Amino acid sequence: MLVLDAYHIVRDNLLQVIAFIGLSLHGSKLLWLTLAVVLVVGDAVFRVTRYFTTRYRFTMDALQLRSGLLNRSNRELSYARIHAVNGEQNILLRPLGLTDITVSDASDAKDAIVLRAVPQQLVAQLEERRKQYADRTNATSPARLAHREAAITVAGVSEASPDKPVTAPEPHQPPAIAIPPPSTLVYRAQTRDLLVYALTDLGIFAAIAVVYGLYSQLEDIVPDSWKARAQSAAISYVSHGIVFVLAILLALWLLLALVSVIRTMLRFYGFEVWRSGSDLVIRKGLVTKSTVTIPVARIQSVSIERSLLRRLCGLASVSVGLSSDLANASQQDEETISRVIPVIGERQALAALRVMMPQWRWDVPALTYTARAHRWFMLRWPLRVGVVALAVVVAVNARVLGWGLPGIMLMVAAAGATGVWLAFDALKIRVQGFEDGVMLPDRRLVVQTASLLTVRTLFTKRYRVQSVARRASVWMLARGFEQVTLLLYIADDPLSVSLDSVDTPVADVLVAHVAGMPVGWCDAVGVPSDDSPIRG
């Protein structure tokens, strides 16, 4: 553990120490070098103190953790209250047969118990104890006992009867959906699938921000002569013409693609999703092997996402929304784990979800498209702004810039921005909709929206909708439609799902579908009215 702490000290403080050393070359050497030493020594003292003051043990009924030097902390987590057992094995722990284990309950992920560098077999032992105590709790729950008493009463047998033993079996109710056998493989990511995922990931452009952030941190210690040389080289390349500019952009794209491939392999290599009893088990990682257990009961929403490039390839990604945050996980880790299927064929997505979550209904939704009848109303602002922008650019070129290269580039930029805006709104018009408002017994809610050039189909339960907002301008009311926004809470975070240009009768159907009952509006004196509240 101390060897691992030494590695983390070097990894976490390397950039700060380099920055302090660079600043010492331009200012007070004693001050900056002292700060560097204090940073490293302080981190080392903290880690060594944590190592010598942390103890854990397993009792018959609970896991106990004791830590702290001045402020002593004692944490006890009953096996019956364990929500998930997650293991993470980095490249340093793997040869030693050790792993980091995060044990969380259903309350707050920040209060999870973390066991660092413990034997790997403890993951299976803790998971086995969790399942045993969960089964025992379910078997003795009041609802289960009441069901058994009701079954015995229906069979005509009384527990209090001394001359007739209680031998009536519980009535057999065949399940509507067969639960898959333990350890059923749902999805395994192939190497070619991950390469497609990496090359079609629009998030690769976020690497530019990462590179810029790294440069901003090291800018103060980079010699001025290097900066001047780089700037002059960039100016000289641009001055050679459009061919050199395109070559530079191609090289930049190849570099970003390489970064995306490496990033994807580190996150998703060996990605597998298994259905084990009532849990989903996710295994993934190239350098750091991690195993995450997600109880299916925690899944509150499922989103099938298709970006522009993936739609052209007939591919999709599947993400889930959980009832609580993942214990001891960063934002990037949570995004990785919630992406239960990184890339899959659009036609195969629902089939995989049927195996993954058979309790939900996964037939193709019958969507009611809400915005197609009002396409020209939704496109009015992009068209108006685009026409005005092009007119301004033409005027500027005619009076100021002329029709040289700067004027042409300005015209292309204005036309391109208008075209992208029109493409965004056109995609919304084509895909926005919700499942038909028939009152279905499973209370499923399906809403399909578009953000930028990504189409998302959200599957959830209607009771997840906390409120419905209906807004309309005077012009929209005159044409009989409005905007409907559904506010959902997934993992205690608000999620807004908006549908633009929904006809008022269709909005009434959507509200009825969410509420699970027909909607009948009344005016101020209680007389039934066909007007929606947005009109009243």
Side-chain angles (χ1 to χ4, degrees):
M1 193 66 252
L2 294 177
V3 173
L4 292 175
D5 281 339
Y7 161 73
H8 287 296
I9 290 172
V10 175
R11 186 195 66 179
D12 297 341
N13 302 303
L14 180 61
L15 288 179
Q16 289 85 344
V17 171
I18 292 176
F20 285 148
I21 294 175
L23 292 172
S24 67
L25 300 177
H26 303 283
S28 176
K29 294 184 179 180
L30 180 61
L31 174 62
W32 294 114
L33 293 179
T34 302
L35 289 177
V37 172
V38 169
L39 177 66
V40 175
V41 173
D43 194 7
V45 171
F46 168 76
R47 294 179 182 274
V48 171
T49 304
R50 182 182 60 180
Y51 168 75
F52 283 106
T53 59
T54 301
R55 296 289 184 271
Y56 71 90
R57 69 176 179 177
F58 298 96
T59 66
M60 293 297 296
D61 301 318
L63 167 64
Q64 296 179 349
L65 180 70
R66 185 184 65 187
S67 61
L69 179 61
L70 300 178
N71 295 323
R72 305 294 295 175
S73 174
N74 291 280
R75 178 80 190 279
E76 181 172 322
L77 180 59
S78 172
Y79 299 132
R81 295 183 62 247
I82 292 179
H83 211 49
V85 180
N86 303 328
E88 184 173 301
Q89 189 179 49
N90 59 38
I91 194 172
L92 299 177
L93 295 176
R94 198 180 310 163
L96 304 176
L98 303 176
T99 186
D100 293 337
I101 302 178
T102 302
V103 187
S104 61
D105 58 9
S107 58
D108 191 354
K110 298 180 179 61
D111 294 333
I113 293 180
V114 180
L115 308 179
R116 306 173 65 220
V118 296
Q120 186 176 359
Q121 57 267 26
L122 290 186
V123 177
Q125 294 178 9
L126 274 171
E127 186 64 28
E128 184 64 26
R129 296 192 184 192
R130 182 187 73 84
K131 291 182 178 180
Q132 289 178 356
Y133 276 78
D135 295 340
R136 187 182 306 175
T137 302
N138 292 334
T140 59
S141 64
R144 182 67 61 85
L145 294 177
H147 174 74
R148 180 176 179 85
E149 292 176 0
I152 294 174
T153 302
V154 170
V157 181
S158 173
E159 287 186 342
S161 176
D163 45 65
K164 194 169 186 179
V166 179
T167 58
E170 296 185 6
H172 174 67
Q173 298 290 341
I177 303 176
I179 301 298
S183 300
T184 301
L185 179 62
V186 177
Y187 168 80
R188 175 182 288 131
Q190 304 295 330
T191 303
R192 63 177 181 273
D193 299 331
L194 296 179
L195 289 176
V196 173
Y197 177 88
L199 297 177
T200 57
D201 186 11
L202 298 179
I204 63 175
F205 296 102
I208 298 177
V210 175
V211 174
Y212 179 77
L214 181 62
Y215 171 76
S216 62
Q217 290 185 0
L218 300 178
E219 184 178 7
D220 294 334
I221 62 176
V222 174
D224 294 335
S225 59
W226 294 9
K227 297 179 186 178
R229 192 178 305 171
Q231 292 175 359
S232 61
I235 294 174
S236 63
Y237 280 125
V238 172
S239 62
H240 279 78
I242 192 65
V243 177
F244 284 90
V245 174
L246 293 177
I248 292 174
L249 293 178
L250 178 61
L252 178 61
W253 182 85
L254 292 175
L255 177 61
L256 292 178
L258 178 61
V259 172
S260 179
V261 170
I262 296 174
R263 178 170 172 263
T264 299
M265 289 301 175
L266 291 175
R267 296 170 63 192
F268 294 112
Y269 183 81
F271 193 97
E272 294 180 345
V273 180
W274 293 75
R275 176 65 190 258
S276 178
S278 59
D279 302 328
L280 291 181
V281 179
I282 298 177
R283 303 187 180 99
K284 54 95 180 178
L286 178 62
V287 177
T288 300
K289 296 287 186 180
S290 64
T291 302
V292 179
T293 302
I294 301 178
V296 175
R298 293 179 61 186
I299 299 177
Q300 299 181 346
S301 68
V302 178
S303 178
I304 300 178
E305 304 172 359
R306 288 95 71 197
S307 63
L308 174 62
L309 296 178
R310 292 182 186 141
R311 280 191 289 117
L312 295 177
C313 301
L315 303 174
S317 299
V318 180
S319 302
V320 297
L322 305 177
S323 59
S324 59
D325 295 332
L326 297 171
N328 199 37
S330 63
Q331 182 178 1
Q332 179 177 348
D333 293 334
E334 291 189 1
E335 292 176 355
T336 302
I337 296 169
S338 63
R339 186 66 57 89
V340 292
I341 299 181
V343 60
I344 192 173
E346 288 189 60
R347 298 181 180 180
Q348 290 77 36
L350 293 179
L353 288 170
R354 291 188 187 100
V355 181
M356 185 183 302
M357 300 173 59
Q359 296 86 347
W360 290 35
R361 185 166 53 87
W362 295 111
D363 57 314
V364 179
L367 295 176
T368 298
Y369 296 99
T370 58
R372 293 183 178 181
H374 308 283
R375 55 175 58 90
W376 292 114
F377 185 85
M378 291 186 62
L379 294 176
R380 72 194 189 285
W381 278 112
L383 291 174
R384 292 173 181 174
V385 174
V387 170
V388 172
L390 291 176
V392 171
V393 170
V394 170
V396 170
N397 284 336
R399 293 182 174 272
V400 180
L401 298 179
W403 291 98
L405 181 60
I408 294 176
M409 293 180 63
L410 185 60
M411 178 68 73
V412 171
T418 303
V420 171
W421 192 356
L422 287 171
F424 289 167
D425 284 357
L427 182 61
K428 284 185 178 181
I429 293 169
R430 190 172 67 87
V431 305
Q432 277 191 356
F434 68 98
E435 191 176 41
D436 198 349
V438 178
M439 301 308 150
L440 300 172
D442 62 349
R443 299 182 62 81
R444 183 177 79 165
L445 174 64
V446 183
V447 182
Q448 184 169 273
T449 59
S451 175
L452 298 181
L453 293 177
T454 300
V455 179
R456 290 182 177 86
T457 305
L458 177 70
F459 295 80
T460 186
K461 298 297 183 179
R462 282 176 276 173
Y463 58 79
R464 286 292 162 198
V465 179
Q466 303 299 309
S467 63
V468 180
R470 303 171 68 171
R471 301 181 180 87
S473 63
V474 176
W475 299 274
M476 295 173 67
L477 287 177
R479 292 171 174 82
F481 61 93
E482 57 198 74
Q483 182 189 54
V484 179
T485 301
L486 307 177
L487 183 63
L488 300 89
Y489 277 92
I490 306 298
D492 297 329
D493 292 329
L495 173 65
S496 296
V497 181
S498 296
L499 297 174
D500 301 317
S501 303
V502 183
D503 288 329
T504 298
V506 178
D508 293 339
V509 171
L510 176 58
V511 173
H513 182 53
V514 172
M517 58 184 298
V519 175
W521 308 112
C522 297
D523 59 18
V525 296
V527 178
S529 172
D530 293 333
D531 292 337
S532 70
I534 197 169
R535 290 181 177 271

